[in-house]
């Protein structure tokens, strides 16, 4: 299983690299990695398991965070009843279109690869149209909004070597333009 020891931290050059596209058919090894990434998210959201293995809670995990420079990420966003609202392995995700309207999490963002807390709003597109492939190579296109859209943008940033704090306003971390909506 993936634990915090398998997650690389800010300073490791893999986190700043542009990850390579996954080619199809996917290897058994890469499919197994995808399964383990999703298992990590499930474990991290289970209070008993998270406590036992000292896992930080996560709603997303990108392959570069486990030092595999491939364009693949797991996303597990639960609803209020802890039922999966968005649960997908995104392979070669691409944002096809994005809203002009921006959104940011009111609590800011944290990253499993960044050990310190960095305060500030992270402006992202409020709505995106996302294309991705699943493990079998089937194409998916979905319109995503608000929280789910923000999580997917954080994960896609990892595939491009970008970390959340790159987006925070250096002079005034909590400054956003008036059209940015706050979520959560
Ligand atoms: C990715 C997120 C950071 C901001 C927003 C949030 C948590 C992460 C990083 C956007 C994407 C991981 C991947 C949380 C969390 C709310 C939902 C459900 C029940 C606990 C869980 C806690 F843990 N970020 N952590 N950070 N990353 N919400 N929640 N809750 O997930 O670095 O690149 O279980
Ligand atoms: Ni992250």
């Amino acid at each position: 299983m993936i634990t915090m020891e398998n997650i690389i931290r800010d300073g490791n050059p893999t986190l700043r690299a542009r990850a390579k596209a996954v080619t199809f058919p996917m290897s058994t090894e890469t499919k197994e990695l995808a399964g383990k990434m999703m298992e990590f998210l499930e474990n991290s959201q289970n209070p008993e398991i998270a406590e036992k293995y000292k896992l930080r809670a996560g709603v997303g995990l990108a392959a570069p965070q486990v030092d595999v420079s491939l364009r693949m990420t797991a996303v597990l966003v639960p609803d209020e009843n802890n039922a999966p609202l968005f649960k997908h392995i995104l392979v070669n995700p691409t944002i096809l279109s994005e809203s002009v309207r921006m959104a940011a999490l009111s609590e800011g963002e944290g990253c499993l690869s960044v050990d310190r807390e960095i305060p500030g709003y992270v402006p992202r597109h409020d709505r995106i149209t996302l294309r991705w492939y699943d493990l079998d190579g089937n194409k998916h296109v979905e319109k995503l909004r608000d929280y789910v859209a923000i999580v997917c943008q954080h994960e896609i940033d990892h595939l491009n070597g970008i970390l959340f704090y790159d987006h925070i306003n250096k002079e005034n971390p909590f400054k956003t333009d008036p059209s940015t909506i706050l979520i959560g």
Side-chain angles (χ1 to χ4, degrees):
M1 69 183 264
I2 294 174
T3 67
M4 297 310 293
E5 292 185 14
N6 303 114
I7 296 178
I8 63 171
R9 305 305 155 93
D10 195 6
N12 186 313
T14 302
L15 289 172
R16 291 305 190 174
R18 182 181 159 84
K20 296 253 181 287
V22 173
T23 55
F24 290 98
M26 285 175 70
S27 69
T28 307
E29 187 189 20
T30 306
K31 284 187 181 182
E32 281 172 4
L33 173 65
K36 285 175 184 162
M37 289 165 56
M38 187 59 79
E39 180 195 42
F40 171 86
L41 297 179
E42 291 165 350
N43 288 342
S44 82
Q45 292 182 20
N46 178 314
E48 289 80 38
I49 300 179
E51 154 82 0
K52 179 165 181 213
Y53 295 104
K54 297 276 171 269
L55 307 178
R56 264 180 73 188
V59 290
L61 183 68
Q65 294 184 277
V66 291
D67 212 7
V68 175
S69 198
L70 287 175
R71 305 188 75 77
M72 179 170 85
T73 174
V75 177
L76 176 54
V77 176
D79 67 16
E80 309 79 49
N81 306 314
N82 260 346
L85 181 68
F86 189 89
K87 179 179 186 178
H88 290 285
I89 301 288
L90 310 179
V91 179
N92 298 340
T94 306
I95 296 173
L96 298 178
S97 67
E98 51 200 26
S99 62
V100 173
R101 169 180 288 201
M102 305 298 276
L105 296 179
S106 56
E107 308 284 328
E109 295 190 10
C111 179
L112 297 172
S113 296
V114 178
D115 284 332
R116 61 225 149 91
E117 275 190 30
I118 303 179
Y121 293 139
V122 180
R124 301 198 182 273
H125 299 283
D126 181 46
R127 294 173 182 229
I128 59 174
T129 304
L130 189 67
R131 180 185 73 203
W132 74 90
Y133 296 86
D134 62 28
L135 298 185
D136 298 316
N138 299 307
K139 182 165 97 172
H140 297 250
V141 178
E142 275 190 39
K143 290 182 177 180
L144 306 175
R145 56 202 281 202
D146 303 332
Y147 188 75
V148 172
I150 288 172
V151 175
C152 289
Q153 287 170 82
H154 177 113
E155 301 315 321
I156 291 167
D157 270 355
H158 278 301
L159 310 183
N160 295 323
I162 297 167
L163 295 171
F164 73 95
Y165 61 78
D166 299 344
H167 297 291
I168 298 176
N169 185 302
K170 299 288 178 299
E171 288 76 46
N172 184 349
F174 289 100
K175 197 180 94 180
T176 54
D177 67 277
S179 69
T180 303
I181 63 164
L182 295 179
I183 308 262

